[in-house]
């Protein structure tokens, strides 16, 4: 890691299975709403009332416990910035696991902090006790991801709650970027009055297909969110995000249809991997981590040559041999499986 996020590339027109996007695109209703934006809408600063009301309704959370952000990446950045405002004990630290989503480390370092990372345990299990005891007087924020990225593993909500109690008052950032694919969320179970040090992050980039529109949300106790609210820029969501979000949240039918595609794609990919002798993580999300053994980098390139783009994770610590593959539209997964089977026949032995 160089401290700067390295944007993975893919040629245009290929099958993009490297960034866990919604490979079907946003809902048709969202596209209609985006097209309805007028000259004046573009000219005026957006009003966020409808977007906040829609999120409050969809998650059954009061508006004062919500901050909308320009993607969850901005949520991670601003929550970290808020946590780092207390510089009492020298260089502030973020604590997390590896392998994990890159942005925790990127944001921690960008804001002048130091990232401390503990390895996942056997079978990629979360090191709950080590995380709890890894907090020291410099730790300002602890990051967990549920379901985890890149493994797709679902965490037990009880373990998250226990960690938050153990590390109070240090902020626990619970990244629920893929929770739409499991339906399991702290938001449905816990109240922030009980757990004031938790900030839950959600994105509409993955299940809702709004990665290009950029919109995410943070949830937490109003007092925990107050310093974050001051850091998030007043017009951080543009007009398209503002218009798209309520429509996307309302179109449950589209989301359910896509979630069913993801489940079928995971089944197909697991079967194909079993035929090819690859290991597959048990994922609750819209991607799986596939362990192909010795030729991960070679296979990623062989797939790219066939216009199928997947994410090489094999050089991540603890991920030797691993490739992360998005499981989206069934037709995309069919192309992935066909390309994998064809390519693997020619693998160096
Ligand atoms: C994709 C992803 C995000 C970022 O979401 P954006 O809304 O696109 O910024 C955050 N956390 C995790 C774990 C992700 O995989």
């Amino acid at each position: 890691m160089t401290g700067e996020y390295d944007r993975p590339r893919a040629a245009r027109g290929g099958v993009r299975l490297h960034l866990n996007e919604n490979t079907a695109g946003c809902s048709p209703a969202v596209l209609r709403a985006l097209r309805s934006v007028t000259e004046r809408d573009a000219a005026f600063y957006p009003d966020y009332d409808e977007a906040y009301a829609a999120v409050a309704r969809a998650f059954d959370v009061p508006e004062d416990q919500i901050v909308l952000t320009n993607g969850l990446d901005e949520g991670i950045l601003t929550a970290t910035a808020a946590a780092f405002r207390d510089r009492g004990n020298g260089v502030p630290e973020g604590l997390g696991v590896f392998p994990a989503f890159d942005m925790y480390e990127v944001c921690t370092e960008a804001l002048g902090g130091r990232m401390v990372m503990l390895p996942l345990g056997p079978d990629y299990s979360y090191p709950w006790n080590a995380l709890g005891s890894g907090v020291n007087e410099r730790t300002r924020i602890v990051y967990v991801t549920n379901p985890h990225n890149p493994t797709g593993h679902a965490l037990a909500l009880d373990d998250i709650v226990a960690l938050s109690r153990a590390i109070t008052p240090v902020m626990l950032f619970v990244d629920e970027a893929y929770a739409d694919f499991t339906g399991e969320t702290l938001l449905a179970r816990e109240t922030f009055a009980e757990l004031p040090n938790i900030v839950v992050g959600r994105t509409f980039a993955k299940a809702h297909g709004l990665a290009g529109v950029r919109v995410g949300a943070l949830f937490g106790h109003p007092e925990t969110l107050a310093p974050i609210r001051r850091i998030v820029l007043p017009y951080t969501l543009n007009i398209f995000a503002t218009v798209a979000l309520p429509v996307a949240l309302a179109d449950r039918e589209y989301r359910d249809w896509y979630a069913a595609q993801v489940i079928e794609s995971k089944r197909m990919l697991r079967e194909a991997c079993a035929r090819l002798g690859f290991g597959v993580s048990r994922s609750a999300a819209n991607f799986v981590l596939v362990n192909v053994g010795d030729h991960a980098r070679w296979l990623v390139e062989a797939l790219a040559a066939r216009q199928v783009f997947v994410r090489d994770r094999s050089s991540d610590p603890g991920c030797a041999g691993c490739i992360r593959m998005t499981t989206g539209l069934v037709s995309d997964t069919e192309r992935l499986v066909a390309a994998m089977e064809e390519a693997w026949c020619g693998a160096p032995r």
Side-chain angles (χ1 to χ4, degrees):
M1 204 59 214
T2 59
E4 195 178 325
Y5 184 74
D6 188 14
R7 266 189 223 104
R9 293 177 192 282
R12 280 188 87 84
V15 184
R16 292 170 62 97
L17 304 177
H18 65 315
L19 288 175
N20 303 341
E21 296 150 332
N22 182 321
T23 70
C26 67
S27 106
V30 167
L31 190 63
R32 281 194 297 278
L34 291 172
R35 288 199 165 121
S36 75
V37 168
T38 67
E39 296 89 332
R40 293 230 164 143
D41 291 335
F44 296 160
Y45 289 106
D47 181 287
Y48 297 133
D49 288 355
E50 251 192 75
Y52 269 91
V55 172
R57 245 189 339 267
F59 293 91
D60 195 21
V61 170
E63 285 185 35
D64 65 350
Q65 299 184 13
I66 303 168
V67 177
L68 295 180
T69 57
N70 191 294
L72 182 49
D73 283 350
E74 191 193 41
I76 296 166
L77 182 71
T78 53
T80 305
F84 282 5
R85 280 165 18 127
D86 170 8
R87 298 242 160 196
N89 295 299
V91 176
E93 289 181 0
L95 177 65
V97 299
F98 69 84
F101 185 56
D102 292 333
M103 290 307 288
Y104 314 134
E105 184 180 7
V106 167
C107 292
T108 289
E109 292 187 351
L111 294 164
R114 196 171 79 85
M115 187 68 195
V116 177
M117 287 185 283
L118 307 173
L120 292 178
D123 192 28
Y124 300 124
S125 59
Y126 251 60
W128 293 110
N129 291 335
L131 280 171
S133 55
V135 168
N136 63 43
E137 70 284 357
R138 292 176 304 280
T139 311
R140 294 287 173 270
I141 185 167
V142 178
Y143 305 96
V144 300
T145 320
N146 184 32
H148 193 62
N149 178 3
T151 63
H153 283 194
L155 309 182
L157 298 184
D158 284 339
D159 288 331
I160 298 174
V161 169
L163 180 64
S164 94
R165 297 223 160 93
I167 67 169
T168 298
V170 171
M171 184 188 290
L172 180 61
F173 190 91
V174 183
D175 183 330
E176 291 193 349
Y178 301 97
D180 292 296
F181 296 105
T182 67
E184 278 245 321
T185 167
L186 274 181
L187 296 174
R189 205 185 87 154
E190 300 293 335
T191 65
F192 292 113
E194 300 267 333
L195 301 166
N197 61 323
I198 283 192
V199 173
V200 174
R202 300 286 293 235
T203 177
F204 308 98
K206 307 286 162 55
H208 298 78
L210 298 180
V213 174
R214 312 299 305 136
V215 52
L218 298 179
F219 299 84
H221 191 280
E223 279 174 34
T224 310
L225 294 185
I228 299 175
R229 231 184 262 289
R230 287 201 288 277
I231 297 168
V232 173
L233 298 173
Y235 294 106
T236 195
L237 263 61
N238 69 32
I239 185 65
F240 292 107
T242 313
V243 163
L245 183 55
V247 181
L249 286 170
D251 197 348
R252 290 187 169 272
E253 206 181 313
Y254 185 79
R255 218 161 53 254
D256 291 347
W257 166 79
Y258 187 67
Q261 291 277 306
V262 168
I263 287 171
E264 175 60 10
S265 282
K266 279 194 283 196
R267 192 194 61 74
M268 288 165 54
L269 186 54
R270 263 197 303 271
E271 267 184 26
C273 288
R275 285 196 297 277
L276 292 165
F278 300 159
V280 181
S281 66
R282 61 191 148 70
S283 168
N286 63 333
F287 57 85
V288 293
L289 195 63
V290 178
N291 190 333
V292 306
D294 284 341
H295 304 296
R297 184 171 297 253
W298 178 89
L299 182 58
V300 169
E301 279 164 22
L303 290 175
R306 290 166 174 79
Q307 295 299 296
V308 175
F309 302 99
V310 293
R311 186 84 180 268
D312 184 4
R313 287 270 153 200
S314 61
S315 55
D316 287 23
C319 273
C322 288
I323 303 173
R324 198 191 62 195
M325 303 179 185
T326 305
T327 45
L329 272 186
V330 165
S331 55
D332 289 334
T333 309
E334 282 165 355
R335 279 189 65 182
L336 167 65
V337 167
M340 228 164 41
E341 287 178 334
E342 183 191 276
W344 199 243
C345 291
R349 307 279 159 175

